[in-house]
Structures are given as structure tokens and as C-alpha cells.
Amino acid sequence: MWRALVAGAVVAWSSCVTEDCEDVKLLQRKRQTQLETKTEKLQKDPTGYHKIEGKSVYLVMPDRFDRVGGHSAGNNSACDGNQWCNGTLRGITEHLDYIAGMGFDCIWVTPVPLNYYGPDGQSGYGYHGYWAQDWFKIDPNFGTAEDMKTLVQETHNNGMCFILDIVLNHVRPIHSEADLSEVHPFNETSYFHLLNISDMTFDEYAEKMSDWPYPTQGIGAGAQCYLQFFPNGTPDGTNNGTYCNNYPGNNFSKDLYYGEEAHGPPYLKYCSVGNYDCKGYNEEVSIKGWFYDLADLNHTVPFVQEELKRWVKFMVTEYDIDGIRLDTTPYMPHWWLQDVQNMLFDELDNPIQIIGEVTASNVSFHASYQLMGGQRMLSGMENFPLVYTAVPGYCGWPNMLLSTIAQFDLTHLHEMTHKQLTSGLYSNTDLLMNMMDNQDDMPIASLAHSLDGKSGGCLDDRHMRLNAWAWLFMAKGMPVITWGDEQGNKVFRNSLWQFNWDTSPWQYKLLRRLNQIRHEYRLDKTRMTLKAAHKDQFVFYRGPRRGKESVYVFTNNLPMTTKKVIYRDSLPKPLAGYAWKDLFSAQKIQRLSNGAVVAHSSKPLVLVMKPSKAATLAQQITS
């Protein structure tokens, strides 16, 4: 966008040729200078923090990391579930060296504003930070504003950047105007979408009942399709029993398929944002519907726009954060997202990049949140087109949007990656966050593919996890690891303190090694080239096809074995005096005459050129 503005300024200036245009020329010349200065800042990046593309990220939820200074300080009993566990911001600060010890470039911290405490029915408590009640206060359960400032400063002192998670789509659970009166600053019904409210009062619309069809839903089964109604005029929240899904539960067998009445095609487990081929897809519902009982903000209201932008700018400048992760991105209009990103580029000395949570499998729809009609939207996104294919592809996990076709089939990961790298739909693929799990999904160590959920997949197979992480860290983009993965945690949103921040587990050491390789070979922005597509193998290289900077990555989704694995993709001959070496597991490899690679186990390979033993010996004799 800033390039377009510079070009526009030059065109307008050159077209103004009369003496009356002198003032206009001066203004345009000033604007051009400002934009060129901003461009120079973006390119030079003097702070080292405010450009986050290609950086590795460690995701932390304050409530689950450490209890230092909190209500339960000193209590190391495990805690999970929909309750407050009393972790704090000071607790994260206390163990930044533990995170930095794995070599991560950034930490991503989930939202910190004062939340609705709870409980709220089955949803539990607001421990996670996504139920904002007062935007301009730090939640006292996490600590104080000074604790937040100290955390960011100490993150910088440890050589890492700080990415803050924020919510601009919705507020806390609301069931009445009385609930709404407690929200600051959005405490009036006129600030919210009330789709299909008809002649109901706000309290009737927001009331939670057993058959609870209202408020009109923007997420969940059935939400992406046009809401159907019973003959008496009341809404049918199940959409005639289809729920917009193709498959109930985790089962994909044909006898359980809903058939021709299903809203979505067979390749989808369920319909979601951007799946236009689902019958009755309704984008208005996505933008204006609520998330269960989380009241949906109306961004066309000037007060909502102004206060949200004022708060975002306040958080960035007050706490010196380096990047933003934006929750529930595709449930807000493009123009609004562009407005917020432009503000952070145009009004700050250090432009801030926003990474949007775009939970879409449609690549063109996903890419539109970074680049649309040649204009910049957000700087980057969480890379769900790859997440939805990599997680079932490597681990066989059945719960992903594309699990119906991608279970143990890496050709779909290949296809999605190829589209992203070659389509021109994206402005910067280094700003796409890749992950195998996150705060909303099960940990990688608990991803099973069997129907009983107790065996198979990455759950009990170390090699599958090694392959998944090799893809994650070596591929183009921003690799993300969720707190506890380094300890082998298997529990959703588990606390970390019971693991005592141990640095000896193989997972911790492995992540440190992966970050070392990523840094040593400068894989933050190096180009990525795919090899041929195979169901059981995903092979690619970073950098040149053949050279000292080349990094070849061979991964598979085979069950753990110490038998030979033959990769069908070729590896070029090394340079004279060099040999291909495996940085990942140091296992022996064999290169066949046709270039195919033979590994001696199902562990992944990360191959680089190193001087051969003969060449090393010759160098020693010469010296």
C-alpha cells in the first residue's frame, strides 16, 4: 500500500503544472518524503524487532505458564480445563531464559485486557484473555501494567521480539443489557450487530436458553450457511439437521456421510469461512453473527472504529510491542482490517505488522487478507491452508477441516504450498505462521488417528513428531510452537509449572537444534522449492538447488521404523570436495545413481553440504 501511495503522489505531483498548484506540490512533496522515509525504515529495520517475518515463535498463555506473584504462587499442582489457573505475566518474565534457550526469535502472548471473570455455562471462565470486558486495563489476574512493561522489556533484553494477541471482533459473554453495562468502552446495544433481531428486545435476543437459536451465529456447525426457519417462523439452528457438516464427529465412512443434503462437498469435514462451494454459504452471517454469546462489534459505527484504533495504538506505544496477532480475523470486513493495519504503518515511527487468524482452507480467500485487488490488507496470517493439510498429513488427526482427504496424504500439503509459493496471491509468504498445534487445538503429542483416540498418529510415535517439526521449522514462513510441546505435554491448555521448566527433555533439545539450523542457514526468508508430490513423503529445499547454502529436507509420515526408507526425489551431486551431511539426526544416508536418497530410518533428513573427510584431511596437511 505504501508503494502505491508513493507512486500516486508522484503522478499527482507531475500532473500539477500551474502556479496555483505550488501549495499542492509542497504538500505532495512532503507526503512523498514521509513515505520514502517510512519505506527506508521498513527496509533497514534498525531495531531488529519490528519486522517479524520468517521468525520462529513460542506461544504462551499467561494463565498457564507460571504462578509467580499470583494468587497461587508456590503451588505447583497441575491445572487445565475451563478455569483460572492463576499464571501471571511475572511468571513469563521469570522464565524468558528458558524460552530463549530454545533459540526462539519471538514470543506470542495471548490477550491481556481485563476479562469477564466467569463462569459462563459450559464456556467456563475468561482465563484465556479472549473475553474482554475493559480494554484499557491489564487483567489483575495476570498482573499490572508495570508487569506488562517489564515483560516486554525483558523479552527484548533476551534478544526476542514480543507479539501481542488482541481481539477486535467481539466482547465478553453478553446475555442482557445489564451485562453490557459492565463493558468498557462498548456498553451500548448500538455498538453491536443484531442480525435477525426482528421485534425482539435485546435481552430476548441475547438470552441463553436450552434451544438457543439466537443470537444469529457467525461460527460453529451450520453458521456458514443461510439460517433456515421452521414453518412457525422460528429459526432452525440445525439447518434441517445438516449443521452445515458433511461428517458427524470424527467418522468419515460413507455410510455416515449426510449425502446430497449436506451443504458442503466431500473433501470438507465441515463448512467454514471462504468455503463458497458450500450450499447456501452466507458471508453476512460470518461478519454480523455472534460467536455463541460473545457480542459481535459493529465496525461501521464510528465510535467502535475510533475506540478500537485508539486502544490498539495505545497498546503498541504504551508497552513497546513488536507485532500483533489478530484473533477471529475473517469475521471482520476487509476495509476495517486494512484501516487498522494502515494506521500502524502510517502513524507510528516503527511500523507494526499484524498477523491475522484466518481459519480458511480456500487459498485465494485466505490470501485476500494479505493482498486484495493489489492493495495491502494485513501484513500476514496464521497459515491455516497448510495447517489443515500438515496436521492430518503427518499425524492423521481427524478433526481438521481437510482431514477427510489429507489423512496421511502429504500430496495436499504439497498442493497448498505450491499455490502459496507460485500463485502471486500473497504479498509475503514469510509472514505466514505455520504450526502443528496452537492454543485452540490439541498438542502435537496427543494427536491420534484411531477412533478410540488412544493410539496411532503422533500420539505415540516419536518419528512422526520429528518429521512434522522438521517440516515446520525448515519450511518457508514463521514456525510456531505452543507452550508445553517442548515437555511432551499431551493435555489441552495444560499448565507448565509441574514440568519445572526442565531443559533436559529430547523435545526441548530438538527445538533448540531446529532453531540453530534455521538461524545458521538463514532460513527466515530464503526461497523454498518443492520436489515431486508423494502421499507418504514431502521433500523440498531452501536456497539454491546446488550449493553450500542449499538445505534439502526429506520428511515422511511413516510409522516409526529403523528399516531403510527410500525417498523417490533426487538429490544433486555435491560440489567437489564436499559431501551431503544430515544436520537433524546425523544418520547415514545413501545417494543412488539416479539421485534418490536412502535413509536408515523413518527419521527426517535435513541435508547440507559439508567438506568431505578427504578434503578436510587435505586442508589440515596444507595448513
Side-chain angles (χ1 to χ4, degrees):
M1 182 65 177
W2 45 269
R3 289 192 184 94
L5 287 172
V6 171
V10 172
V11 170
W13 183 19
S14 62
S15 65
C16 190
V17 294
T18 67
E19 291 184 1
D20 294 337
C21 292
E22 283 303 315
D23 289 341
V24 176
K25 285 188 195 178
L26 289 172
L27 288 172
Q28 290 170 337
R29 193 179 292 121
K30 180 179 179 181
R31 178 58 174 157
Q32 181 184 9
T33 302
Q34 290 173 339
L35 289 167
E36 288 173 345
T37 301
K38 189 171 291 295
T39 300
E40 185 178 354
K41 281 185 179 181
L42 286 170
Q43 292 171 340
K44 288 185 176 180
D45 184 25
T47 67
Y49 294 119
H50 291 88
K51 292 186 73 176
I52 59 178
E53 53 259 49
K55 294 187 176 180
S56 61
V57 180
Y58 184 85
L59 167 58
V60 188
M61 184 173 283
D63 186 63
R64 303 297 158 100
F65 197 74
D66 188 10
R67 287 168 163 163
V68 167
H71 301 302
S72 303
N75 179 357
N76 288 329
S77 59
C79 181
D80 62 83
N82 292 322
Q83 59 182 315
W84 286 92
C85 292
N86 299 316
T88 63
L89 297 171
R90 285 180 56 190
I92 303 174
T93 305
E94 185 80 10
H95 297 287
L96 286 171
D97 56 343
Y98 166 86
I99 302 172
M102 287 180 277
F104 283 99
D105 300 311
C106 306
I107 65 170
W108 155 13
V109 175
T110 52
V112 296
L114 189 151
N115 264 228
Y116 171 64
Y117 191 85
D120 185 73
Q122 293 182 343
S123 299
Y125 295 81
Y127 66 89
H128 40 66
Y130 296 99
W131 290 355
Q133 178 163 295
D134 192 322
W135 264 253
F136 289 89
K137 292 181 180 178
I138 299 296
D139 197 303
N141 290 283
F142 302 148
T144 65
E146 286 305 311
D147 291 336
M148 180 67 179
K149 291 178 181 179
T150 300
L151 171 58
V152 176
Q153 181 59 54
E154 289 303 311
T155 299
H156 293 161
N157 291 343
N158 276 271
M160 297 182 290
C161 62
F162 190 95
I163 300 173
L164 180 64
D165 204 334
I166 68 170
V167 182
L168 301 180
N169 178 67
H170 56 263
V171 304
R172 53 155 277 186
I174 297 294
H175 299 294
S176 65
E177 287 196 61
D179 289 345
L180 200 57
S181 68
E182 299 177 357
V183 177
H184 176 75
F186 309 111
N187 56 5
E188 296 183 12
T189 60
S190 60
Y191 300 150
F192 299 90
H193 286 124
L194 303 175
L195 186 61
N196 295 327
I197 191 171
S198 189
D199 58 353
M200 286 186 288
T201 65
F202 180 85
D203 284 12
E204 289 172 337
Y205 186 76
E207 183 183 2
K208 197 173 205 174
M209 299 176 287
S210 59
D211 56 350
W212 200 44
Y214 282 111
T216 299
Q217 291 295 292
I219 192 173
Q224 304 305 325
C225 304
Y226 191 81
L227 188 65
Q228 297 184 23
F229 290 81
F230 292 116
N232 65 1
T234 60
D236 175 9
T238 74
N239 274 3
N240 198 28
T242 67
Y243 293 93
C244 231
N245 283 329
N246 293 316
Y247 301 90
N250 296 335
N251 304 304
F252 302 146
S253 58
K254 290 183 179 179
D255 60 324
L256 292 173
Y257 178 53
Y258 281 135
E260 294 181 359
E261 297 303 315
H263 284 264
Y267 74 89
L268 291 174
K269 175 176 167 59
Y270 53 87
C271 295
S272 187
V273 288
N275 292 137
Y276 295 111
D277 47 359
C278 290
K279 289 185 290 185
Y281 182 85
N282 186 346
E283 198 147 299
E284 182 184 30
V285 171
S286 297
I287 299 297
K288 297 182 180 180
W290 290 25
F291 279 22
Y292 307 105
D293 50 359
L294 305 180
D296 194 78
L297 287 163
N298 185 346
H299 300 98
T300 66
V301 177
F303 178 83
V304 173
Q305 295 177 31
E306 293 162 5
E307 285 300 288
L308 284 176
K309 288 199 290 185
R310 183 169 75 91
W311 173 71
V312 172
K313 192 173 179 180
F314 168 78
M315 294 299 290
V316 168
T317 56
E318 181 74 6
Y319 297 107
D320 194 25
I321 66 174
D322 306 298
I324 286 174
R325 181 266 183 183
L326 178 58
D327 186 67
T328 55
T329 295
Y331 300 94
M332 295 177 280
H334 280 81
W335 62 264
W336 158 247
L337 301 169
Q338 183 186 44
D339 202 22
V340 178
Q341 180 64 91
N342 285 349
M343 176 193 71
L344 293 177
F345 268 52
D346 295 340
E347 298 182 17
L348 300 178
D349 290 335
N350 292 301
I352 297 296
Q353 296 165 315
I354 299 177
I355 304 293
E357 181 199 25
V358 183
T359 50
S361 61
N362 179 338
V363 169
S364 59
F365 178 85
H366 183 261
S368 73
Y369 288 89
Q370 189 181 54
L371 187 66
M372 187 177 188
Q375 294 190 15
R376 179 192 68 210
M377 295 294 144
L378 300 181
S379 293
M381 287 91 67
E382 290 179 71
N383 200 2
F384 279 95
L386 297 197
V387 173
Y388 290 148
T389 50
V391 175
Y394 284 108
C395 298
W397 184 237
N399 281 351
M400 288 290 161
L401 182 62
L402 296 175
S403 289
T404 58
I405 56 171
Q407 275 191 294
F408 294 117
D409 187 344
L410 292 170
T411 62
H412 300 285
L413 176 60
H414 185 282
E415 178 186 359
M416 289 292 191
T417 306
H418 177 74
K419 285 181 180 179
Q420 290 191 338
L421 294 178
T422 64
S423 65
L425 293 170
Y426 294 87
S427 60
N428 190 345
T429 52
D430 292 320
L431 278 163
L432 302 182
M433 278 184 169
N434 298 321
M435 56 193 74
M436 285 298 297
D437 57 21
N438 55 52
Q439 79 281 20
D440 291 324
D441 291 311
M442 297 297 291
I444 187 173
S446 64
L447 297 179
H449 71 81
S450 61
L451 293 180
D452 62 9
K454 297 180 180 179
S455 62
C458 290
L459 172 69
D460 53 7
D461 195 308
R462 180 183 294 196
H463 287 194
M464 283 186 177
R465 275 183 270 172
L466 295 180
N467 278 280
W469 278 353
W471 162 75
L472 179 63
F473 277 81
M474 299 299 108
K476 197 166 186 63
M478 300 171 64
V480 177
I481 289 291
T482 305
W483 80 96
D485 282 351
E486 74 280 2
Q487 298 292 340
N489 169 56
K490 295 183 178 181
V491 179
F492 177 66
R493 292 186 180 177
N494 201 8
S495 58
L496 190 67
W497 44 78
Q498 68 270 23
F499 296 103
N500 199 33
W501 304 278
D502 187 2
T503 61
S504 65
W506 67 265
Q507 296 95 329
Y508 185 96
K509 295 177 180 178
L510 175 65
L511 293 172
R512 178 168 57 202
R513 181 60 180 145
L514 288 168
N515 272 315
Q516 285 174 346
I517 296 171
R518 190 172 178 84
H519 294 150
E520 182 180 354
Y521 287 87
R522 299 178 180 178
L523 300 184
D524 54 341
K525 300 177 187 177
T526 305
R527 74 180 185 188
M528 176 180 179
T529 306
L530 301 180
K531 302 293 281 183
H534 305 291
K535 187 173 182 178
D536 59 345
Q537 299 174 6
F538 186 68
V539 180
F540 58 93
Y541 63 89
R542 304 294 302 274
R545 188 187 74 84
R546 182 170 176 261
K548 299 175 186 178
E549 299 82 23
S550 305
V551 180
Y552 274 76
V553 184
F554 292 78
T555 69
N556 65 80
N557 58 11
L558 302 173
M560 185 166 60
T561 179
T562 54
K563 296 181 180 180
K564 290 183 178 180
V565 174
I566 300 177
Y567 288 96
R568 299 183 286 281
D569 292 288
S570 62
L571 180 70
K573 289 182 179 180
L575 301 174
Y578 284 79
W580 289 106
K581 301 291 184 181
D582 179 20
L583 295 178
F584 191 78
S585 56
Q587 62 178 312
K588 295 180 180 180
I589 63 166
Q590 179 183 358
R591 182 180 174 276
L592 303 180
S593 58
N594 64 356
V597 173
V598 180
H600 290 264
S601 76
S602 54
K603 291 180 181 179
L605 300 172
V606 178
L607 304 179
V608 299
M609 287 190 196
K610 294 284 188 180
S612 63
K613 288 184 178 180
T616 303
L617 179 60
Q619 290 171 1
Q620 291 173 348
I621 293 173
T622 302
S623 63

